[in-house]
Amino acid sequence: MNPTMSEIKLSKVVVYGLGAMGRPMARNLHDHGILIGVKNRTEGKRQAMINELNLEEFEDDESMLSQADCVLTCVSADDDLKAVIADILDLMSPGSVVIDCSTVSPNTARSVADDLASKGISFIDAPVSGGVEGAKKGSLSIMVGADREQYKRAANVFAAIGSQITHMGRVGQGQATKAVNQVMVAGVAQAVCSALAMAEKCNLDLKKAIEVFSAGAAGNWFLDNRGSTMVNDEFNVGFKLNLLHKDLKICQETVAELGGQLPLIDDSIMEYAKLMEMDHGDEDISALIRLKRHLLSPELDD
């Protein structure tokens, strides 16, 4: 009996996008024996990864992509994803799959899926959460929007990069889930940065205070992983605030399409924009504490 499509797992993956998240995901796919190549718009990063993982040197993109049954994309924004899809659309084989781990709008995911479908290529929107730490450990939370058959085909790919893989529904629902996730991320950052700025102003022993908060109802991932770094003014450890600002604009658009408004989103966009104007855009989102400190000590010169 011939296997069904869902029984034929994806096993020849190309990673397109070798940023802070894409590089560790490529390493994990390589460790699972399913990575055949990498591509990046910056040639140096591509060549460095080929050398590190001892990957095959293909003659050109067409020879690499035509052999792949899956391209996993991980880029910064909607326009970047559209450019990548335009770049590979005519080089991939019908029946292959694009898995996008970027954070883009649900509308962009659906539009890209339509473009790929015209060439017989399937699309899975699979944004991730867990930060660079999760990407390195292969423990990302993956929110999947896809036809169920394609979702099943991608099981090997998801197992290599994540530990919590959830099929949220049709294409676009993965990105809708990520938008909700980013609202939560922004809200937690607001609370933790405000609270620790207050703790500083109260002259608390911050190491002890963080231990107390983490052990009770206020405990959370952000406090555990960013509490000590932010009070030490270390803001180069994780998710860049300019990327959360971009994600929150997507959240804002999504909420507007629903006919509503969430002040948490609007306020966070405004504050992160202010930090970007102050040249802090490449810092971790915990740099929000800079503004919270100023609110409690207006005399501070930021």
Side-chain angles (χ1 to χ4, degrees), residues 24-25 28-30 32 34 135 137-139 155-162:
M25 285 196 283
N28 288 327
L29 289 163
H30 179 261
H32 280 70
I34 57 176
K137 294 175 183 176
S139 61
N156 292 349
V157 179
F158 292 141
I161 63 174

Side-chain angles (χ1 to χ4, degrees), residues 141-178:
S141 175
I142 309 174
M143 310 153 219
V144 184
D147 171 87
R148 181 163 289 278
E149 193 170 64
Q150 298 302 331
Y151 168 68
K152 290 180 179 179
R153 285 185 72 195
N156 292 349
V157 179
F158 292 141
I161 63 174
S163 59
Q164 175 68 45
I165 301 100
T166 309
H167 185 214
M168 299 304 300
R170 63 188 183 278
V171 169
Q173 292 299 87
Q175 292 297 349
T177 307
K178 181 61 184 289

Side-chain angles (χ1 to χ4, degrees), residues 11-240:
S11 60
K12 298 178 180 179
V13 183
V14 169
V15 171
Y16 196 140
L18 300 173
M21 299 291 286
R23 289 195 301 274
M25 285 196 283
R27 293 184 184 108
N28 288 327
L29 289 163
H30 179 261
D31 289 345
H32 280 70
I34 57 176
L35 181 74
I36 67 167
V38 293
K39 182 169 170 57
N40 196 69
R41 284 172 290 180
T42 304
E43 177 62 22
K45 287 184 179 180
R46 184 192 74 89
Q47 192 60 52
M49 187 115 282
I50 288 173
N51 295 342
E52 175 190 334
L53 301 179
N54 194 28
L55 298 173
E56 179 180 349
E57 290 269 16
F58 289 92
E59 181 179 348
D60 52 31
D61 287 347
E62 183 174 6
S63 61
M64 177 177 67
L65 293 170
S66 64
Q67 293 183 42
D69 57 17
C70 173
V71 175
L72 185 148
T73 55
C74 189
V75 294
S76 296
D78 295 55
D79 288 344
D80 298 320
L81 177 62
K82 292 173 184 177
V84 165
I85 297 304
D87 188 34
I88 66 177
L89 187 61
D90 293 322
L91 303 181
M92 295 180 65
S93 300
S96 57
V97 180
V98 171
I99 299 175
D100 179 48
C101 293
S102 316
T103 297
V104 298
S105 76
N107 288 336
T108 293
R110 289 187 283 266
S111 174
V112 164
D114 289 342
D115 292 341
L116 289 165
S118 70
K119 299 289 186 177
I121 302 166
S122 298
F123 179 77
I124 297 174
D125 66 300
V128 299
S129 182
V132 176
E133 295 97 333
K136 289 178 178 178
K137 294 175 183 176
S139 61
L140 293 167
S141 175
I142 309 174
M143 310 153 219
V144 184
D147 171 87
R148 181 163 289 278
E149 193 170 64
Q150 298 302 331
Y151 168 68
K152 290 180 179 179
R153 285 185 72 195
N156 292 349
V157 179
F158 292 141
I161 63 174
S163 59
Q164 175 68 45
I165 301 100
T166 309
H167 185 214
M168 299 304 300
R170 63 188 183 278
V171 169
Q173 292 299 87
Q175 292 297 349
T177 307
K178 181 61 184 289
V180 174
N181 184 86
Q182 297 307 77
V183 174
M184 287 193 185
V185 167
V188 171
Q190 287 281 353
V192 174
C193 291
S194 297
L196 290 186
M198 180 180 174
E200 290 176 345
K201 191 68 172 177
C202 291
N203 295 316
L204 297 182
D205 181 317
L206 293 174
K207 183 175 184 298
K208 290 181 179 179
I210 290 171
E211 290 173 355
V212 169
F213 304 147
S214 295
N220 61 79
W221 184 97
F222 189 76
L223 179 62
D224 291 343
N225 289 274
R226 298 292 179 263
S228 60
T229 55
M230 78 170 80
V231 298
N232 290 323
D233 289 331
E234 297 171 6
F235 302 117
N236 60 346
V237 289
F239 188 46
K240 293 181 179 180

